[in-house]
Amino acid sequence: MQAPTLLVMAAGMGSRYGGLKQIDPVGPAGETIIDYSIYDAMRAGFGKLVFVIRKDIEEPFKQTVGSRFDKRIHVEYAFQELDKLPAGFSVPEGRTKPWGTTQAVLMAEDVIQEPFGVINADDFYGGESYGVLAEHLKSGSPDYAMVGFILRNTLSDFGSVARGVCRVSSDNYLQRIEELTSIERDGEGGRNTAPDGTVTRLSGDEPVSMNYWGFTPQIFPQIREVFQRFLEKNTGELKAESYIPMAVGELVSDGEARVKVLQSRDQWFGVTYREDRPRVVDSIRALVDAGKYPNPLWS
């Protein structure tokens, strides 16, 4: 079985964080979260990296991040831009916001021909989670996969976050996923406020998607159709985005895909706001001190 590829979505604007958080050092020797993700992925048997970035960050990204890996593993780049749309569609006047993570995954279609994982550049998922995902991708299963995390462990103390809240069957298959884009911590649980003011209260125990997926190349034509339908419905919208959890959820609801929900005992953590950074730095230092990672990571 061919080694799986890891697609790293790193085109985010970092607007809430206030900078290019993908290249912000958080490890004791200046490592980024991406460094730890790639280290874990390589240990799990991933054989190629594909970074989805924007053209305007290409040079600093390659110099600061890509150069760390190109002598260790095969690296490719794909570019997410506003005007990279299916035939017949154009960018509405005044639109500056990216189209979302569905488009980000689509941008890598030309450089991926094997089973692949998808991650956010600014999320730390843990070594075990890469192991369980790699095992699924190497199994030859036609089913897609998602590594799930518990909602309360993924919330920020410093503002709202977007999460794909999942309903999972007794045999661990995804039944439904709802993208809630403004979840704030509320005691042990959470509270989402929709754009129309509707409030949804959450217990905190819900399994959520952290954009940690496993796919085969069959996903590309499927989500291209989903993305086209999204564009048809949102022709003149300046801020609407198509999120990959929404696209996968639509495929599941339509019976066009099965998604196995994989479990990991690892603790997720990530950087949404600049105030989140000290906790991430402390968490990584604790893992290094416990012998989970060498210091420095790359020798």
Side-chain angles (χ1 to χ4, degrees), residues 12 18-19 44 51 61 79 97 107 157 207 215 226 262:
F51 289 113
F61 190 92
F79 299 95
K97 193 173 184 62
M107 294 301 96
D157 292 325
F215 296 125
V226 173
L262 308 175

Side-chain angles (χ1 to χ4, degrees), residues 226-284:
V226 173
F227 188 49
Q228 287 176 336
R229 290 195 293 268
F230 163 82
L231 292 172
E232 289 167 357
K233 294 177 182 177
N234 297 276
T235 304
E237 291 290 334
L238 300 184
K239 294 186 176 181
E241 294 183 65
S242 176
Y243 300 103
I244 194 66
M246 295 167 58
V248 173
E250 190 171 323
L251 295 175
V252 169
S253 296
D254 292 344
E256 297 178 14
R258 280 166 40 101
V259 179
K260 185 75 172 179
V261 179
L262 308 175
Q263 303 296 324
S264 169
R265 293 171 295 180
D266 286 326
Q267 179 73 36
W268 172 95
F269 50 88
V271 178
T272 301
Y273 299 92
R274 188 165 292 278
E275 294 87 348
D276 292 321
R277 184 176 178 275
R279 184 176 68 89
V280 173
V281 171
D282 290 345
S283 298
I284 289 176

Side-chain angles (χ1 to χ4, degrees), residues 33 36 55 60 79 121 127 134 157 173 178 197 220 275 284-285:
I33 287 180
Y36 290 97
K55 270 289 184 183
F79 299 95
D157 292 325
Y173 276 89
E178 181 180 9
F220 292 120
E275 294 87 348
I284 289 176
R285 169 57 77 176

